[in-house]
Amino acid sequence: MHLWPTHRPHHTPRKRSGWTYYVPALLAITTVLIGFARSDSDRLAHHRENQRAKASQQLADTVSRLETNVRGNVNLVHGLVTAVAADPHMSQQRFSTIAERIFAVPSQLSSVAGAPDFVIRMTYPEDLNKTAIGLDYMETPSQRDPAAEAVARRTVMITGPVALVQGGQGLIARYPVFSLSSNRFWGVVSAVIDLDRLYLDSNLNSPSQTLEIAISRRPVPQGSDVFFGRADLLSQDPVTAAIDLGYDSWYLAAVPKGGWTHEPADMARFRMFAALASFFVVAPLVWAGLLMQQRNRSHLLLREREERLEVLSRRLQLALEASRIGVWEYHPDTDSLLWDSYMCDLYGQPHENNRGSFQDWADKIHPDDLAEAKAAFQGSVEHQIPYLKDFRIVLPSGEIRHIRAHGAVENAADGTKRVVGANWDVTDDVAMQVELRTAQAKAEEQNRQLRTTRRILEHQSLHDALTGLPNRRFLDQFMVTADTSDLSQKLAFIHIDLDHFKHVNDTLGHGTGDEVLKVATGRLREIIGPEEVISRIGGDEFVVVTCGPDPAPRAQEVALEIVLRLARPIEIEGQEIRIGCSAGIACQTMAGETPSQLLMNADIALYEAKKKGRNRVEIFSDDLRAVTIETKRTADELLRALECDAFIPFFQPQFDAQTLAINGVEALARWDHATKGILTPDKFLEVAEGLGRVAEIDRLILEKSLFQMTRWRTQGIDIPKLSVNISAQRLKDPTLLGMLESLPIETHTLAFELLESISFEDQEEDLKAAIRQLKERGVQVEIDDFGSGHASIVSLLELAPHRLKIDRKLVAPIDVSESQRRLVASIIEIGRSLGIGIVAEGVETMTHAEILRELGCQTLQGYAFARPMSSADLMTFAKEWQLRHPPVRKPANLRSV
């Protein structure tokens, strides 16, 4: 049932188009505009024709004056030409006299010249044209053709403008001259017309000229054909004219200065009068059309409003039907309630029961919502405010629906009240909201779990899994966020490295190593305060950060306590383990000093602590910084030296103790530094070891030494043996044996000197295997600096070297110490009993040499005989020495390879 009547549609007559009211006015406007345009076009065309006619007349006047001036100049010179024809042998003076009379007449002539047989011999004025004397027209390309053409035609030829020998440009009139007496060709008389004066006198560029003129050599100019005026003037629709000069022609183009005007001066006034006339004709017709349109619009307005109201009513009805919204109306004075059919459907009652009372509605509300719904409705009626409430209803079938009600109180004209409103079913919306709240609660719980997981992952990413300490990433973040500008909270970094921890892992296993790290971490935690940071940044490396106005005392206290506690034994599964540690301290001294720099400085101090024997604390200082900078500079220079092949061998001869003949040389590495000269290994070896480039230096020295040894032999110098130092790093190089096989090495001529420190019985098996393979390939093995370490007789027996080199520290005091002499004698005796040769190095005096010879030493090496020297110096030294002490080949009494 509907609460309002339906309307029948009205049929509105078709609306008349608005432009039809203005048809008379449009016809009048069209007629006026056509006439106006035609008149305007005629006036413009007449104006253009007048401009061009005037410009053509002015150009013709200018051309006439130009031709008159040119012909006048030509005619003046005819007198001179006649005189020359009458007197072919005319002198310069006579020529100048006649020319002077001609030049007395006003003209544009600037000079004349006589050229018998085409060569200029006479000119006027003489002083200004001396440079033209001797000019041969036939030898000058620009003059040859015009002069020849004038002679061929027997008439004057005018060309130009041309460049003049005297300088500048001009028109040249060339007159062929034939003797009057013999009619023989004499030559040519040339007259130069000054172009600037010609232009000015002909009114081409005078201030009074109203035209802008351009002159070209061709009617359609190309390139540099335009020689007067602007070249672009020819593209402005100019008036044109031409002048025939005989040999050349000039083509003139002109436009008014300022260009062509498109309209006459009175054109604006003409158009204004025409527009006014048109307005007085059209305006009354337009006004009449406007009045007719207004009348019709007012007539149609009422019909349109009626139709719009009907359309709105239909749309509202369709909207209610589509949305299934129920509409109700309640009259408080009579307690009568009226529902439409959709309200009946919402509340589950027949359509015929569409009338009732307030109580009928209240009986259908869910008991839990009844009180609030009734109170809200009664308050709306009493205070005349909008009614908006959500509640539940119970259908006759027991189904519960969620209803949203919206109503408004209206006062009728007779003073009665009524409440009109609508209800619609929001059961699905309520269910969806319940689902959304459930989903939201679930999502919040998942987010809470994700946040918890993220916190756990962040903690794990910033902490060491084994020790639970902050890791390197945590320390990096700390260093990025740390504020070093506040000098009241200076930072101090302590870099700690466990000593001998690798030995624990290698001998007892990584499981034991992990337990050692846990115990060490526990001891570190006992020392570190609550405001201090400790982190594990590597396998056996830790960093402690403390702060304060003066953090150095606290940093030293912590570092010393750490060294002390970690030096105590650690018991793991009943086994006592000792590790110890070294520590480096770097303290902030100025604002802005970055944490990363402090950590780097602490690392430098740690390196210094390890270098000084480990199990100690070192504090970073400016001296350490200088050493580090110098080491870095040396490292960079060393790498460049390797690239530039700056390492060379020096050689120190070795002498037979009995005959003093040279029985070998030791190759020693030297760095040929670009600025510091020759550097010995004590200046670079430690840096090379740090860079891991010792093996490369060993390889270079070996290759260069073998090359020099071959060179010596070609020079007749007999060096029986070459000894080369080799590092453990180089011995482990898998390419060493292959390289040796590729070199032309004779058996027993090459010996590798091994430091005593790498010849002990606890060395790796691969090192021992490498030594055995060297000996199998005929390379002898020598133990260098013997007596400075702790090699045992067992290791000597196992290694079986060919020679022992007694350390120079043992040799130096043998001339003053009997006990030292006995010690050296014992070493020589051990070597003799084991079949090992003995070499004494550091032989500084002949007294040393005599004592060692008496003790049975076989080979001597030292400053008493020769210092290390270059290959060239060795060749000179060996030649001289071998003259006094020739080499003697003796059977080797050393153990065989």
Side-chain angles (χ1 to χ4, degrees):
M1 176 180 180
H2 302 292
L3 300 180
W4 51 82
T6 59
H7 298 276
R8 290 179 300 175
H10 296 282
H11 298 283
T12 303
R14 180 178 296 177
K15 186 186 296 184
R16 185 178 178 183
S17 300
W19 66 270
T20 59
Y21 300 104
Y22 301 98
V23 170
L26 291 174
L27 292 174
I29 291 172
T30 303
T31 304
V32 170
L33 288 177
I34 292 173
F36 177 76
R38 182 67 177 271
S39 177
D40 190 275
S41 176
D42 291 343
R43 284 182 63 84
L44 292 177
H46 181 68
H47 173 68
R48 286 193 293 270
E49 291 172 0
N50 286 343
Q51 282 191 99
R52 294 190 69 83
K54 183 179 178 181
S56 296
Q57 181 61 42
Q58 290 175 336
L59 180 60
D61 292 343
T62 301
V63 169
S64 177
R65 295 179 68 175
L66 183 60
E67 287 182 326
T68 299
N69 286 333
V70 172
R71 296 303 174 190
N73 291 325
V74 171
N75 292 335
L76 279 174
V77 181
H78 270 300
L80 177 60
V81 172
T82 303
V84 173
D87 184 7
H89 302 289
M90 181 182 292
S91 65
Q92 173 66 51
Q93 183 178 2
R94 173 67 174 162
F95 184 85
S96 298
T97 301
I98 297 173
E100 186 177 1
R101 293 173 187 169
I102 294 172
F103 274 66
V105 178
S107 67
Q108 291 81 36
L109 292 171
S110 62
S111 64
V112 293
D117 295 326
F118 295 108
V119 179
I120 297 176
R121 302 298 182 192
M122 298 173 288
T123 63
Y124 180 85
E126 293 182 60
D127 295 339
L128 301 177
N129 297 283
K130 289 181 179 180
T131 57
I133 298 297
L135 176 66
D136 188 344
Y137 287 162
M138 293 297 103
E139 299 296 330
T140 306
S142 61
Q143 301 281 358
R144 181 191 308 120
D145 293 343
E149 185 73 16
V151 174
R153 294 188 182 184
R154 284 179 171 260
T155 185
V156 62
M157 300 295 294
I158 303 173
T159 60
V162 297
L164 302 175
V165 177
Q166 302 93 321
Q169 289 188 331
L171 273 180
I172 300 180
R174 298 178 179 86
Y175 303 80
V177 180
F178 295 87
S179 174
L180 294 179
S181 59
S182 63
N183 200 31
R184 292 181 60 191
F185 175 66
W186 175 84
V188 176
V189 172
S190 300
V192 178
I193 301 172
D194 188 334
L195 278 181
D196 292 335
R197 286 165 53 195
L198 179 63
Y199 294 155
L200 184 61
D201 292 346
S202 302
N203 196 29
L204 261 73
N205 56 359
S206 65
S208 62
Q209 178 61 261
T210 61
L211 296 178
E212 188 173 1
I213 300 172
I215 307 176
S216 171
R217 302 179 191 275
R218 285 187 280 192
V220 181
Q222 297 179 357
S224 60
D225 286 348
V226 177
F227 58 85
F228 178 81
R230 295 186 294 109
D232 62 346
L233 187 140
L234 294 152
S235 64
Q236 299 178 13
D237 191 22
V239 295
T240 59
I243 299 175
D244 185 7
L245 299 178
Y247 185 80
D248 288 333
S249 295
W250 285 6
Y251 299 91
L252 287 80
V255 298
K257 287 184 177 178
W260 302 107
T261 58
H262 299 288
E263 297 179 352
D266 62 345
M267 194 66 185
R269 184 173 58 184
F270 167 76
R271 288 173 178 170
M272 182 180 69
F273 285 134
L276 286 174
S278 301
F279 175 76
F280 286 120
V281 171
V282 174
L285 297 175
V286 173
W287 180 252
L290 180 63
L291 291 177
M292 293 177 64
Q293 185 184 28
Q294 184 66 32
R295 177 179 175 277
N296 187 66
R297 185 182 296 114
S298 300
H299 178 72
L300 296 175
L301 184 60
L302 181 61
R303 287 288 184 88
E304 290 178 356
R305 289 180 177 176
E306 290 178 355
E307 290 181 357
R308 192 157 48 246
L309 178 61
E310 184 177 352
V311 169
L312 289 175
S313 298
R314 288 200 301 270
R315 288 178 179 175
L316 177 60
Q317 185 64 34
L318 290 173
L320 292 175
E321 292 176 358
S323 61
R324 306 192 65 80
I325 294 177
V327 180
W328 51 269
E329 184 177 322
Y330 176 68
H331 296 268
D333 295 337
T334 60
D335 191 26
S336 61
L337 180 64
L338 180 64
W339 286 357
D340 70 352
S341 58
Y342 297 115
M343 276 291 292
C344 295
D345 293 338
L346 278 177
Y347 283 78
Q349 67 181 32
H351 289 182
E352 57 270 16
N353 295 338
N354 62 339
R355 293 180 179 272
S357 64
F358 178 81
Q359 189 59 41
D360 293 332
W361 169 70
D363 291 342
K364 294 176 172 55
I365 297 177
H366 193 285
D368 295 342
D369 299 340
L370 179 59
E372 289 186 11
K374 290 176 65 176
F377 185 81
Q378 291 170 354
S380 175
V381 173
E382 181 179 352
H383 301 292
Q384 297 190 12
I385 58 177
Y387 171 61
L388 182 61
K389 186 64 179 175
D390 289 354
F391 52 84
R392 290 170 292 173
I393 62 172
V394 181
L395 301 184
S397 62
E399 178 187 353
I400 296 177
R401 285 182 180 173
H402 291 265
I403 300 297
R404 179 165 295 161
H406 192 190
V409 180
E410 297 180 352
N411 291 313
D414 58 0
T416 61
K417 292 181 181 179
R418 67 173 182 173
V419 184
V420 179
N423 285 8
W424 59 93
D425 187 356
V426 293
T427 304
D428 293 340
D429 294 344
V430 172
M432 183 179 297
Q433 290 178 2
V434 172
E435 292 178 0
L436 290 175
R437 284 194 293 269
T438 303
Q440 182 181 8
K442 184 177 180 180
E444 289 177 352
E445 175 62 21
Q446 291 176 344
N447 289 337
R448 186 189 63 79
Q449 294 176 359
L450 287 174
R451 286 193 295 270
T452 302
T453 303
R454 185 179 65 185
R455 286 194 297 269
I456 294 173
L457 292 176
E458 287 179 350
H459 182 273
Q460 291 176 350
S461 69
L462 296 174
H463 290 75
D464 176 43
L466 177 64
T467 63
L469 292 176
N471 57 16
R472 181 57 184 261
R473 184 165 176 261
F474 179 93
L475 182 64
D476 290 341
Q477 292 184 5
F478 169 80
M479 291 193 296
V480 170
T481 58
D483 181 14
T484 58
S485 61
D486 185 4
L487 292 180
S488 64
Q489 291 295 319
K490 296 178 184 176
L491 298 178
F493 279 70
I494 308 171
H495 194 173
I496 304 157
D497 185 81
L498 302 183
D499 297 333
H500 313 300
F501 181 73
K502 181 178 182 301
H503 182 73
V504 173
N505 275 337
D506 293 343
T507 58
L508 302 178
H510 289 279
T512 302
D514 291 346
E515 294 301 320
V516 170
L517 285 174
K518 292 178 182 179
V519 173
T521 299
R523 295 181 181 181
L524 291 175
R525 289 183 184 275
E526 295 173 357
I527 302 170
I528 303 305
E531 300 299 324
E532 294 167 336
V533 177
I534 179 172
S535 61
R536 180 190 178 201
I537 64 171
D540 58 352
E541 293 183 61
F542 300 84
V543 171
V544 176
V545 183
T546 184
C547 65
D550 183 16
R554 171 60 182 169
Q556 293 182 49
E557 176 187 351
V558 170
L560 290 172
E561 183 65 21
I562 289 173
V563 171
L564 181 64
R565 293 202 183 190
L566 293 184
R568 298 172 185 171
I570 297 174
E571 185 173 337
I572 304 295
E573 296 180 355
Q575 185 172 5
E576 187 177 276
I577 300 171
R578 295 182 180 270
I579 51 172
C581 72
S582 302
I585 300 174
C587 300
Q588 182 184 352
T589 58
M590 64 185 70
E593 197 170 2
T594 63
S596 59
Q597 183 62 49
L598 291 174
L599 180 59
M600 188 183 305
N601 294 344
D603 186 59
I604 292 171
L606 172 63
Y607 178 78
E608 185 68 13
K610 286 181 168 294
K611 190 168 67 173
K612 289 185 177 180
R614 303 176 185 266
N615 201 37
R616 57 184 293 123
V617 177
E618 286 293 329
I619 301 174
F620 180 80
S621 64
D622 291 339
D623 292 339
L624 275 180
R625 186 194 306 275
V627 170
T628 302
I629 293 174
E630 180 61 28
T631 301
K632 178 63 170 62
R633 183 184 299 111
T634 302
D636 293 340
E637 292 177 350
L638 187 142
L639 294 174
R640 284 195 295 271
L642 285 171
E643 294 174 356
C644 300
D645 196 23
F647 285 92
I648 59 175
F650 265 42
F651 303 94
Q652 188 173 24
Q654 297 173 336
F655 302 89
D656 186 285
Q658 302 299 324
T659 65
L660 296 184
I662 298 176
N663 62 1
V665 294
E666 180 182 5
L668 303 169
R670 293 293 187 268
W671 179 0
D672 189 4
H673 197 280
T675 58
K676 299 178 182 178
I678 302 298
L679 300 181
T680 54
D682 60 301
K683 301 295 192 302
F684 62 83
L685 186 58
E686 185 176 352
V687 175
E689 289 175 346
L691 295 173
R693 309 304 285 269
V694 174
E696 186 173 353
I697 296 174
D698 287 350
R699 178 182 60 79
L700 290 173
I701 298 302
L702 174 59
E703 292 175 355
K704 292 182 179 182
S705 298
L706 291 172
F707 172 78
Q708 294 299 333
M709 193 170 185
T710 304
R711 183 183 172 205
W712 299 334
R713 289 177 180 172
T714 60
Q715 296 294 323
I717 300 173
D718 184 16
I719 304 294
K721 177 179 64 68
L722 172 68
S723 298
V724 182
N725 291 287
I726 189 168
S727 62
Q729 184 183 12
R730 178 63 172 157
L731 275 176
K732 296 177 183 179
D733 186 354
T735 65
L736 174 62
L737 295 176
M739 187 273 290
L740 291 175
E741 290 180 353
S742 66
L743 296 176
I745 304 173
E746 295 184 10
T747 306
H748 306 310
T749 60
L750 176 64
F752 280 170
E753 293 188 4
L754 312 179
L755 291 176
E756 184 184 8
S757 57
I758 65 172
S759 62
F760 306 140
E761 53 269 15
D762 60 349
Q763 285 296 331
E764 298 93 334
E765 185 59 37
D766 56 348
L767 192 62
K768 296 177 181 179
I771 294 174
R772 286 195 299 270
Q773 291 174 349
L774 287 174
K775 293 166 70 176
E776 290 172 358
R777 283 166 173 75
V779 178
Q780 298 183 355
V781 176
E782 300 178 356
I783 304 301
D784 196 11
D785 297 337
F786 185 80
S788 61
H790 49 281
S792 65
I793 300 299
V794 174
S795 66
L796 289 179
L797 289 172
E798 183 177 356
L799 185 60
H802 297 81
R803 275 171 290 278
L804 299 178
K805 291 189 71 173
I806 303 176
D807 187 79
R808 64 180 68 249
K809 296 178 182 178
L810 301 179
V811 172
I814 62 174
D815 57 343
V816 295
S817 172
E818 182 64 29
S819 60
Q820 202 72 15
R821 189 183 305 174
R822 288 196 299 270
L823 176 60
V824 171
S826 299
I827 294 174
I828 294 172
E829 184 59 32
I830 290 173
R832 183 184 296 116
S833 62
L834 295 177
I836 301 174
I838 302 297
V839 180
E841 60 179 348
V843 180
E844 305 294 336
T845 66
M846 294 308 296
T847 303
H848 286 153
E850 186 63 31
I851 294 173
L852 290 167
R853 184 186 301 112
E854 293 176 356
L855 294 177
C857 182
Q858 298 154 341
T859 303
L860 306 177
Q861 178 181 344
Y863 287 1
F865 300 101
R867 293 174 177 270
M869 62 190 75
S870 67
S871 177
D873 292 340
L874 178 66
M875 290 172 63
T876 302
F877 174 83
K879 286 180 180 180
E880 296 176 356
W881 185 273
Q882 289 181 350
L883 290 176
R884 301 193 305 269
H885 306 282
V888 178
R889 290 285 185 174
K890 296 186 295 183
N893 58 355
L894 307 177
R895 66 173 68 245
S896 59
V897 178

